[in-house]
Structures are given as structure tokens and as C-alpha cells.
Amino acid sequence: MKIKYTAPLRGELSIPGDKSISHRSVMFGALAEGTTEVTNFLTGADCLSTISCFRQMGIEIECTPSAQGAHVLIYGKGLHGLSAPFTTLDAGNSGTTVRLLSGILAGQAFDTVITGDASIQKRPMKRIMTPLTAMGADISSENGNGCAPLSIRGKKLHGTHYASPVASAQVKSCVLLAGLYADGITSVTEPAVSRNHSELMLRYFGADVRTDADEPSLSSAVSNELYGRASSFEPDASASAAQTLKTLNNTKSAAHTGFTASISPEPTLVGQKVRVPGDISSAAYFIAAALLVPGSELLLRNVGINPTRDGMLRVCQAMGADITLLNEDHSGAEPCADLLVRSSHLNAVEIGGNIIPTLIDELPILAVLAAFADGTTVIRDAAELRVKESDRIAVMTENLSRIGCPVEATEDGMIITGGKALHGASIDSYKDHRIAMSFAVAALACSGEMDILDAECVNISYPEFYEDLAKVCR
């Protein structure tokens, strides 16, 4: 696909529903008693894979698309209401589906096999197999390489405490979901806080979930850094925003060596009404586009601002971005707000440490912002990028080089020297939706035309992306 837009971004846009929350609404609704009604559900391929898997296990799900996001009804059968599928469960390209569903399947009274596409069959699954095995699960990689297909023989599980070596919401959620079927309390400790959608939504559905954030003993400094927020992300001429980011990147609490979430077994989950906020990971591309294109002013409606996901906003603030939060709403399980974004002059920053789990999916588009910012941006502590839908460190380095940006790959990140005039080029997305969308945004600020190979891969998370981009570039 060839892309070239020249006009500033104007008007307003409603971002499609959050992918992570859409997945979980189906999973938890299926395990709840009664009907769960979901609005603004994301109908990307990944979330449809989750619906398909639960339908195969006997859950009736109605999905009605609309211009305001799909309306979904899940007729739950309770914690033990799933039935054995007749065929292998296919998660498509969705790592979330494979990893979270594996936790649920481990405690069932039946056996299953779950797999996905060629990309999923290369992604590491030992990170969930290890804690599940410690809980008594019988789970194995059919090809013996620690990847899908996974064979799971349902077993009675034991409560455990798992110290995860990485901050991963998928690993944490997998273990907590297995904990629903355990014989005692199950807990997970992470080195940093990963996104907490599972904890919030499980509690909303009636589970007994506890986290460090609930405890008054949690270090106030750590609590403020990870859960506090300003209601505006406007440029700070004093450079204090950059200093705040540096502090958050590097702070370690002497009194707190990890962040723990725990769950009690066998709760009675009850169907709920869930309004899915706009996905900040999808909003990130329009935030970046409006910041980069001179004269832009764009309002993004109903975007999720969960503090375990807002690292993109904090980094943009440190770079000098003009972003204002309007109409904040903290009444539901997930906080949301409208984001007003104006074009801004950006400066380089260092991105690493505890902030990485809050923006791991946004690092490709942040790398694009860094390519146009003054100075040298360093991204570190992000080795997780190498095991996403593609090796995003290698792919971003390759494609940034193609458009003329000086960039160096490191083992766990990138060093990007920005401020140079960049040009369009032929970009290989490697069928990774976040790569394709990142370089569609880069095209707005490059001379010439950008040609993105396999551009249709955006259907994984944002089928209307190119249509929405054309709508606001006018």
C-alpha cells in the first residue's frame, strides 16, 4: 500500500475498543453466571479468535457490529460451565488468547489442544508453562520447542506463589485465571507493574483479587509514580517532565522489591455490563501523527487512561508534547478521557526501567517519534520486543534505516538519532500490525511516498485504521 498525506490532522475521532479489555470481557463473561453485555467491543481478528474459541466450548455469544463498536452478549455458564471442544482451538495471531486461555484450560475437566498461526507457533510459551506446571497442570508443547500447539490435560490445580522474572500481563493473567480453579490462594509477583486489566475486571465480576495497590504499606513514592497522574500532558519548558520520566525510569524502592497480585479460588462470577474504552495502543498512532504534522489539532474521544497503560502519554510529555486530558471519567472499572493533541516540537528522551511495561506495544510508534525529535533517544530494557508478532527491535531498525534515520539496535532496545529530514521508502511490515501503522504515521512527516508491504495486517487490531487516518488528514 502506498501512503502519502500532506494535510494537518483536524477534527475528532473515536478510537476502537481496547483489545486487551475486549478479550477479557469475553473470557470472564463466559465464566460468569448470567449474561454479560459488552459495548464498543473491538472486532479485530484477535478478539474474534477469542470469541471463536469460547463458542467451540459451548458458550453462546452474539456479536452485532455497529459504527460505535460491536455490541456483544455473552451467555455465561459459570466457572465450570465450559465443555470440551470437538477440534483444536485456533487462536489465530492472538498471543493474549493462547496465554490467558491456557490458564483457564489447565483447570478444566477435559483435555484440549490450542494453537495459532505461523507467527504464534514461534512465540515463547514456556513463560506460562512453567508456572502452570508448578500448579500441577499437565501442559506440553506438541513440537517440543516451548511454543504452540499446546496440549493441555485438565487437572486439579494447587494454589501457588509465582515470582515472574518479567513484568508480563499475559503471564500474570494466565496464572491468576488458573488460580480460579486452584485449591488455595494463587499469587504472582512481578519486578514491575504490568497492565492490570485482569485484576480490575475480575474484581468487577466478583472475584476476590488483591494487589499491592490496595495496601497502604506500599511505598508512597512508588505508588505516586505508578498510579498518580497529571490531568494534562502539555509541554514543560522547565524540562521537569523529562526529569520526572528519568526518575520513573530508574527508581527502585528499597522497601518494595516486587508487585504482587493474588486471587482466591472458586469465586462466583456474575455477568456484568462492560463498556470498553478506546484502546490507547491504537490511539497512540493518532497521537503521534498529530504531534508530528504541523498545524494539527485532533480530539480523540473516550480513550482508556489506565495508569498501567499510560506510559505513552508520560513519554510524550517528557518529549514536549502538547496533550490535554478532557472529560476524565473514573466511574467504571477502567478510567477514560478525551485527549486533545496539538502539533509539537519534540526532544529526545531515555525510555527504560519501570515505565517499559506500561508502553511495550507503543514502542514502535515511539521509535518513529524519536526519529523526528531533536537529539538521541535511547530505548532500553525492552527485550520483550524481540518476541512479539515480529522481532520489533530488528524490524524497526531495518525500516527506520530505510527512511534515512540513523539508528542502532541493541540487545534490549534501540539508539535513535532524530532531527534529520527523512524520506519515504519501501517498508516491510513483516505482517506485524504495529509496524505497518507506525510507518503509515511516519509517512505523514517524510518527503515522498511510503510503500508498506502487507499493509492489511492492521486488521489484527484496527481494521478501520487507514480509513480513519484519511478521515482526519484533510
Side-chain angles (χ1 to χ4, degrees):
M1 171 182 278
K2 291 181 169 57
I3 295 177
K4 182 58 185 177
Y5 300 111
T6 57
L9 283 76
R10 294 283 182 174
E12 61 181 66
L13 193 64
S14 293
I15 298 297
D18 187 287
K19 186 155 73 90
S20 296
I21 297 171
S22 294
H23 279 301
R24 287 160 173 79
S25 68
V26 172
M27 293 182 185
F28 304 165
L31 302 180
E33 297 180 0
T35 302
T36 292
E37 180 181 9
V38 186
T39 54
N40 200 38
F41 182 89
L42 176 68
T43 53
D46 278 8
C47 296
L48 294 179
S49 292
T50 293
I51 286 179
S52 174
C53 287
F54 278 92
R55 281 174 171 164
Q56 288 184 62
M57 292 187 288
I59 301 300
E60 182 183 354
I61 302 173
E62 298 176 10
C63 182
T64 307
S66 76
Q68 288 74 43
H71 179 263
V72 176
L73 294 174
I74 304 117
Y75 298 96
K77 293 186 175 181
L79 206 59
H80 298 279
L82 300 180
S83 56
F86 292 107
T87 60
T88 295
L89 297 176
D90 185 357
N93 189 247
S94 177
T96 299
T97 305
V98 174
R99 292 186 177 123
L100 271 63
L101 189 50
S102 291
I104 295 171
L105 295 173
Q108 299 303 313
F110 53 80
D111 303 340
T112 49
V113 175
I114 185 167
T115 191
D117 65 12
S119 171
I120 284 294
Q121 292 181 37
K122 295 177 183 177
R123 296 178 67 178
M125 296 297 162
K126 285 185 179 178
R127 56 181 54 187
I128 62 166
M129 295 169 66
T130 297
L132 289 178
T133 299
M135 297 178 72
D138 185 346
I139 179 170
S140 60
S141 167
E142 290 202 337
N143 294 331
N145 60 354
C147 302
L150 300 178
S151 177
I152 303 172
R153 300 175 63 86
K155 297 281 186 179
K156 182 62 181 175
L157 304 178
H158 308 297
T160 189
H161 173 257
Y162 180 61
S164 178
V166 296
S168 166
Q170 292 183 3
V171 173
K172 175 177 62 177
S173 298
C174 171
V175 177
L176 293 177
L177 288 171
L180 294 172
Y181 300 92
D183 58 9
I185 291 174
T186 296
S187 60
V188 181
T189 298
E190 302 180 287
V193 175
S194 65
R195 59 184 65 176
N196 65 354
H197 301 307
S198 290
E199 297 96 300
L200 292 176
M201 193 178 290
L202 281 167
R203 186 181 290 166
Y204 183 60
F205 273 75
D208 181 8
V209 179
R210 311 213 175 167
T211 69
D212 282 338
D214 306 322
E215 302 298 329
S217 59
L218 179 62
S219 159
S220 60
V222 174
S223 179
N224 288 338
E225 286 161 9
L226 293 169
Y227 298 98
R229 63 162 55 253
S231 62
S232 176
F233 293 87
E234 297 174 0
D236 188 340
S238 67
S240 63
Q243 182 59 42
T244 298
L245 179 66
K246 183 177 180 181
T247 300
L248 189 140
N249 285 343
N250 296 298
T251 295
K252 303 292 182 182
S253 169
H256 204 81
T257 57
F259 299 87
T260 301
S262 63
I263 192 166
S264 298
E266 296 291 337
T268 298
L269 304 181
V270 179
Q272 300 291 338
K273 290 187 176 182
V274 178
R275 173 162 174 76
V276 181
D279 196 328
I280 194 168
S281 294
S282 296
Y285 304 100
F286 292 93
I287 293 170
L291 292 175
L292 288 178
V293 180
S296 295
E297 181 173 297
L298 184 64
L299 183 65
L300 303 174
R301 295 284 191 189
N302 185 44
V303 179
I305 54 169
N306 183 310
T308 65
R309 291 281 300 280
D310 74 348
M312 171 79 182
L313 298 178
R314 284 181 273 160
V315 169
C316 286
Q317 177 193 28
M319 297 178 81
D322 185 348
I323 305 174
T324 303
L325 273 61
L326 304 171
N327 304 318
E328 289 190 59
D329 183 357
H330 297 266
S331 61
E334 293 280 348
C336 61
D338 298 337
L339 307 182
L340 180 62
V341 188
R342 298 182 180 94
S343 55
S344 306
H345 180 86
L346 303 178
N347 296 299
V349 291
E350 182 176 344
I351 309 170
N354 287 345
I355 201 170
I356 291 294
T358 71
L359 48 64
I360 190 69
D361 287 336
E362 290 74 72
L363 283 173
I365 189 60
L366 282 170
V368 168
L369 284 180
F372 293 94
D374 286 344
T376 298
T377 292
V378 178
I379 299 172
R380 57 178 175 81
D381 303 321
E384 180 74 8
L385 289 177
R386 292 199 180 274
V387 291
K388 291 289 187 177
E389 285 85 335
S390 66
D391 179 342
R392 288 178 177 163
I393 292 175
V395 172
M396 286 303 300
T397 301
E398 172 189 328
N399 287 321
L400 286 174
S401 296
R402 288 184 180 183
I403 66 173
C405 176
V407 56
E408 175 187 347
T410 64
E411 183 178 346
D412 64 349
M414 290 168 274
I415 301 170
I416 303 164
T417 302
K420 179 181 177 182
L422 304 179
H423 54 79
S426 178
I427 298 299
D428 192 340
S429 71
Y430 290 85
K431 299 183 179 180
D432 186 330
H433 56 131
R434 302 211 183 276
I435 302 298
M437 289 187 282
S438 293
F439 282 92
V441 170
L444 307 181
C446 286
S447 64
E449 192 173 64
M450 198 79 77
D451 186 8
I452 301 175
L453 305 180
D454 295 310
E456 69 281 357
C457 64
V458 302
N459 292 335
I460 291 295
S461 63
Y462 198 160
E464 303 85 14
F465 173 73
Y466 299 114
E467 178 184 339
D468 282 352
L469 188 60
K471 185 188 305 179
V472 295
C473 290
R474 51 187 170 84

